[in-house]
Amino acid sequence: MSEFDLIQRYFTRATPGAVLGVGDDAALLRIPGGMELAVSTDMLVSGTHFFPDADPLLLGHKALAVNISDIAAMGAQPRWALLSLSLPEADEAWLQQFSTGFFALAQQHGVELIGGDTTRGPLNLCVTIMGVVPQGAALRRSGAQPGDDVWVSGRLGDAALALAHLQGRVQLVADEFAACAAALHQPAPRVALGLALRGIAHSAIDVSDGLLADLGHILECSQLGAEIHYDALPVSSALRPYLAQPAGQHCVLAGGDDYELCFTASVARRAEVEKISVQLGLPLTRIGAIVAGSGCTVRASTGSVINIGESGYDHFA
Ligand code: ADP
Ligand code: MG
């Protein structure tokens, strides 16, 4: 199969939302008037982000999901994606599954694949995502205000717990593992939440490297601190038994791969945030507050400070 056939067969779909999609030297996009373009890219490397024998259907989903999550965290509407693939070989069964997983999620969010690059090499998946947001309306990391509530969507730590199980660091029973494995392999980017939070949240980020690391980015960018209530953190029944142990503390505070949104909003907006939670059928949990100063203090209900000595995944630390 030639490179051209591969692109044609697995990565070329109709793109009615673009002026020009796959097949020329560049795609052409028209940005609607009054909108800003939100652009982000995220790479998944075999051996670093996933096991080399990972299910290609799930990889296709995840490669796009982690990118859509960044657009969601900006409060933008995802629209277009580019896909750059480095593949050891043109394995048609693998490509079919990967492409199916990718386009299933793309269709769910109205994302069109408008181009990319395909080369032979070690397995490496890189997606660039583009979205649109009304001028000035994007949710930034830098907007937190003293006294803001800190909120998080969904549940934290399940993906890290599933990974800990796969690596033999904890042992889950089968149905607990199944529930956590879904969080690890099929994260659901919180696009509707990001859109609903425009004009309400002061700041937002998606939790990809662990709560402490990602909330830490909001704090640094906003030049503020936070007090987090450990016992308020939303966790699954599978993770709850581990919460008093270092392994569980690591999962919920620093595990990463959650792809939930962490955001801050003034106390006056609590009822609106709770209404969004009901409308979206998505738990939104108040986990603490923004305070003057710097850094994040995590406290148990006894008042003691929980210090896990690391804040999240860092490729070069
Ligand atoms: P060029 O040599 O001009 O860079 P390519 O042969 O790399 O062109 O790509 C041809 C067309 O196919 C371009 O429109 C490019 O964006 C698209 N393309 C290449 N790889 C992919 C891919 N994995 N997914 C989607 N589109 C792709
Ligand atoms: Mg090219």
Side-chain angles (χ1 to χ4, degrees), residues 14-96:
T15 54
V19 179
L20 188 62
V22 170
D24 211 313
D25 294 311
L28 296 172
L29 305 175
R30 194 170 294 137
I31 312 304
M35 305 295 263
E36 285 166 349
L37 189 65
V39 187
S40 177
T41 192
D42 245 319
M43 185 154 67
L44 296 188
V45 177
S46 176
T48 301
H49 298 95
F50 58 89
F51 299 112
D53 61 350
D55 181 341
L57 186 85
L58 300 176
L59 275 183
H61 173 100
K62 191 158 178 179
L64 183 58
V66 304
N67 278 275
I68 293 181
S69 179
D70 283 316
I71 294 295
M74 298 301 289
Q77 176 73 54
R79 292 287 307 274
W80 305 287
L82 298 163
L83 172 64
S84 295
L85 290 175
S86 168
L87 303 170
E89 59 186 330
D91 175 341
E92 295 214 40
W94 192 96
L95 283 162
Q96 182 59 56

Side-chain angles (χ1 to χ4, degrees), residues 144-153 156 202-203 211-212 215 218-219 224-234 253 261-268 270 273-274 284-292 295-300:
Q145 303 288 321
D148 273 2
D149 290 321
V150 179
W151 296 83
V152 73
S153 66
L156 295 173
H202 283 150
S203 66
L211 177 69
L212 289 187
L215 176 58
I218 288 186
L219 300 179
L224 289 166
E227 289 265 352
I228 297 301
H229 310 300
Y230 187 68
D231 303 289
L233 296 175
L253 292 172
L261 297 190
C262 176
F263 58 96
T264 77
S266 74
V267 173
R270 273 182 198 172
V273 174
E274 277 155 12
L284 298 177
T285 307
R286 213 155 23 90
I287 61 169
I290 298 291
V291 297
C296 182
T297 307
V298 182
R299 247 179 245 286

